[in-house]
Amino acid sequence: TRPQDERVAMIQALRALGDRAAGAVMAPIAEDKQALSREAVGLRLEALRTLLAVDPDRAVQTAEKLLDQPTDLQTEAIVILGTRRDGAERVAKMFLDQKLPRAVLPQVTEGLRKHLGQAPELGRLLTEVMKGGLLVSLDPSQIEQVRTLVQRQGNPARGRELYLNKQTVACINCHKLEGVGGNVGPDLTRVWETQSLEKVMESMIEPSKEIKEGYQAYRLETRQGVIHLGLKVADTGTDVVLKEASGNEVRIAKSDIEELAPTKESLMPDNVISQLTFDQFIDLVAFLRDRSAQESLRGLPLSWWVIGPFAQDLRMSSSPERAGAIDPKAPLEGRQPNEKLTWKLVEAEPTGYLDLRKVFQADHISAYALTFVYAPAAQKVKCLTGSDDQMRLWVNGQLVHEHASNRGAAPDTDSFEVELKAGWNPVLVKVTNSVATHGVYLRLVGGEGIRFSATKE
C-alpha cells in the first residue's frame, strides 16, 4: 500500500540485511505474472535480486519460472540461472534451440564463462553459442579493412546510439565517456586521441589481453554454490562487495564465501560485439574514433531534484518558481491547501533523458526538475534542449526559454545562449501536459570547465 519508491527502498533494505526469512516475501512478488506495468516490473526485478541475496536456491527456482517474461525479467532470470553451472548450461542449450531471443546472448555467455575454471568442458558449449555471432579478428588485413570502411562509410552518429544503448553492447553501463556512464570499466574520455584503431579493436575483441590497473575482476563462490564475477569495490571485516558488469553491487558476508580469487578474465565479455552486424560494428568503431561525436556527450546533467505534480498550466506560477533561492531539502506548497511536496533526487538516463513519467508513474502531469551547473568563471554557453511537452527553463531565476505547445522534439531541438555566473548556477525546468513521452533533454556546450551536480559537489 506504500508509494512505489518506498516499496523499492524496503526491498533493497531487506537485501542489505540479508535475512533468509525475507525470501518468503520476495518470491511471490517476483513470480506475480499479472504484474506487467513498468513500475510493477521494476518492483519484481528488485524482489528477484533480493531473493538471490537472501535465498539463492529459491531464487533459482523462481528464475526458472520467469524465462517467458518481458525482456528485463527474462534477462535477470538468465543472469540468476547463470550463477549455477547447471543453470548456465540449461539456458545455453535453450539459446541454441532458439527458445531464447538473440538479445540475451551476452547474459548466456557470461553465465558459461563464470564456470569455465571448474568445468572447462563448458567451453565447447560456449563455442557453439558464439558461432551465430559476429566474428571479427585482429589479423592485419582485417584491421586495414575496418580502417578503410570506418573512413568511407562509418557513421559516428549511429555509433553513438549503439554506444548509449543499454540493451545492445551496453558500453554506457560500464564505461564513462565525457562524464556520462558507469564506472565498472576504464574511463574512455578522449579515447579518440589516446587509443589507436588497433587498440580500440583489441579492447573490443580480446578485452582480457590487457586489463587496466584497478579493473581486475574477482570470482566469488558462495557456500551455496552461487558464483559472482565483478570488481571488488569493498572489503570490510564482515562483507565483500562486488560490482558486476551490469553495474549491480552484490554484498556477500565473509562467513558465506567459499572462495574469492582474482581472475585473468576481463569483466568485459570476449563476445561483446557478437550481437552486432558488421555495419553496426563499423559505426561503433567510427564513434570511438570521432572527437566531435564523443564530445557531444559533454554537459549532460545526470542527477536532478524533481517535485510535483502541479496544475497543468505552463504559465501558472507554482511554489518552485516563487521559492527564490531553492533549497531542494525544503518542502514546498502543493496544489491543495496545507499540501506539502518534497523534492526527490532521481537519475537521468545515460543518454541525458529525464523521464518524468517514470518518476511519477503517471501521464499528463506538470512537474519541476532542478539541478545545478558549476562554472569556474562567468561565461556564456549554448543550451540545447528537447521535449515532447510544453516547457519553461530558468537559469539563476531568470526565464531563458519557453515553448508552449506539445510536439515531438528530439535531443538538441532548441538552441539558445545562457549566461552563467562564477560558481553554482541553479537550473530549473518546468514540463507540463504530455502527449506521448513526458520528460526533457538538456545539454550545455561551449563552456570552459562547467559541470553539473544536483548536490553541489
Side-chain angles (χ1 to χ4, degrees):
T1 60
R2 303 301 301 167
Q4 171 78 0
D5 57 342
E6 290 185 18
R7 299 181 73 199
V8 169
M10 291 173 191
I11 290 175
Q12 292 172 340
L14 288 168
R15 183 154 74 234
L17 290 169
D19 189 338
R20 185 180 175 88
V25 181
M26 295 300 103
I29 297 174
E31 294 173 10
D32 184 4
K33 293 190 175 183
Q34 302 304 310
L36 294 174
S37 67
R38 182 186 301 181
E39 59 269 26
V41 169
L43 198 73
R44 293 172 66 192
L45 281 171
E46 292 295 340
L48 195 53
R49 290 164 184 159
T50 295
L51 187 58
L52 178 64
V54 301
D55 191 343
D57 291 337
R58 191 163 189 171
V60 169
Q61 295 170 8
T62 296
E64 291 175 347
K65 302 174 184 177
L66 300 179
L67 289 172
D68 63 344
Q69 288 295 283
T71 306
D72 289 344
L73 284 164
Q74 182 187 62
T75 300
E76 193 69 24
I78 291 169
V79 170
I80 288 176
L81 288 168
T83 63
R84 301 282 180 88
R85 174 187 166 174
D86 56 348
E89 193 170 357
R90 178 186 172 193
V91 295
K93 291 178 178 177
M94 289 180 65
F95 184 85
L96 290 173
D97 291 339
Q98 300 183 355
K99 294 179 180 178
L100 293 173
R102 183 172 176 75
V104 299
L105 175 63
Q107 289 75 31
V108 173
T109 56
E110 182 187 2
L112 291 172
R113 288 170 66 237
K114 287 179 179 178
H115 304 278
L116 290 178
Q118 280 68 39
E121 62 272 18
L122 291 181
R124 291 191 295 274
L125 187 56
L126 178 59
T127 300
E128 286 297 313
V129 169
M130 290 283 293
K131 276 184 179 178
L134 172 66
L135 297 177
V136 182
S137 76
L138 293 174
D139 182 90
S141 61
Q142 176 95 87
I143 292 174
E144 287 309 309
Q145 179 192 19
V146 170
R147 191 191 310 277
T148 300
L149 291 173
V150 165
Q151 294 171 350
R152 290 181 179 175
Q153 68 185 52
N155 187 313
R158 290 198 300 261
R160 180 181 185 268
E161 292 181 14
L162 285 167
Y163 181 90
L164 295 174
N165 189 314
K166 296 180 183 179
Q167 304 299 326
T168 311
V169 286
C171 309
I172 196 70
N173 292 345
C174 296
H175 296 282
K176 195 177 294 295
L177 195 158
E178 295 292 352
V180 178
N183 57 3
V184 178
D187 193 322
L188 297 183
T189 300
R190 300 185 71 85
V191 67
W192 55 267
E193 179 183 48
T194 60
Q195 299 290 328
S196 65
L197 181 137
E198 289 86 348
K199 272 294 183 183
V200 167
M201 288 181 61
E202 179 185 290
S203 65
M204 298 166 72
I205 298 168
E206 297 182 10
S208 297
K209 187 173 181 178
E210 183 178 333
I211 299 175
K212 189 172 181 179
E213 184 178 354
Y215 294 94
Q216 173 73 64
Y218 279 77
R219 181 183 183 277
L220 185 153
E221 183 175 358
T222 70
R223 297 190 186 281
Q224 294 79 31
V226 174
I227 294 178
H228 298 284
L229 195 65
L231 300 183
K232 186 165 64 172
V233 295
D235 189 345
T236 70
T238 57
D239 302 289
V240 168
V241 180
L242 294 186
K243 178 172 281 190
E244 298 178 315
S246 63
N248 293 329
E249 290 190 355
V250 180
R251 181 181 297 271
I252 307 292
K254 286 192 171 180
S255 58
D256 290 336
I257 295 176
E258 180 69 30
E259 183 180 1
L260 175 64
T263 174
K264 294 180 180 179
E265 293 182 351
S266 167
L267 204 55
M268 179 173 165
D270 291 337
N271 66 306
V272 70
I273 62 168
S274 60
Q275 58 188 315
L276 300 178
T277 66
F278 190 68
D279 287 343
Q280 287 176 321
F281 173 72
I282 295 299
D283 288 341
L284 182 57
V285 174
F287 168 71
L288 294 173
R289 302 296 297 149
D290 191 278
R291 176 177 182 172
S292 60
Q294 293 173 40
E295 290 183 347
S296 70
L297 298 178
R298 287 182 181 176
L300 288 176
L302 298 180
S303 298
W304 294 82
W305 294 99
V306 174
I307 196 168
F310 291 94
Q312 284 185 260
D313 187 331
L314 183 68
R315 296 194 173 103
M316 179 181 289
S317 177
S318 300
S319 52
E321 298 175 42
R322 303 191 296 266
I326 299 177
D327 178 5
K329 295 184 180 179
L332 294 176
E333 295 177 0
R335 291 175 295 179
Q336 306 300 325
N338 301 318
E339 181 186 24
K340 291 293 183 183
L341 297 176
T342 57
W343 294 90
K344 179 189 298 184
L345 185 62
V346 301
E347 294 296 316
E349 296 179 359
T351 58
Y353 180 63
L354 176 63
D355 188 345
L356 292 171
R357 174 184 284 178
K358 184 176 181 180
V359 172
F360 291 99
Q361 303 296 330
D363 297 324
H364 307 295
I365 60 170
S366 186
Y368 291 84
L370 170 70
T371 190
F372 301 91
V373 60
Y374 178 82
Q379 57 188 289
K380 286 185 177 181
V381 298
K382 183 182 290 187
C383 183
L384 304 173
T385 65
S387 175
D388 278 348
D389 308 283
Q390 301 171 34
M391 186 185 76
R392 298 184 107 189
L393 175 69
W394 296 263
V395 177
N396 289 318
Q398 299 296 312
L399 181 65
V400 296
H401 179 68
E402 173 183 318
H403 69 74
S405 61
N406 297 318
R407 57 182 184 168
D412 302 350
T413 297
D414 299 318
S415 174
F416 48 92
E417 278 195 340
V418 297
E419 292 191 9
L420 300 179
K421 65 182 182 180
W424 288 103
N425 301 258
V427 177
L428 181 69
V429 180
K430 182 179 183 179
V431 181
T432 190
N433 197 27
S434 170
V435 173
T437 57
H438 191 58
V440 64
Y441 293 93
L442 187 146
R443 186 162 67 93
L444 298 182
V445 297
E448 292 293 332
I450 62 173
R451 58 188 172 89
F452 277 101
S453 173
T455 53
K456 297 184 182 180
E457 294 170 340

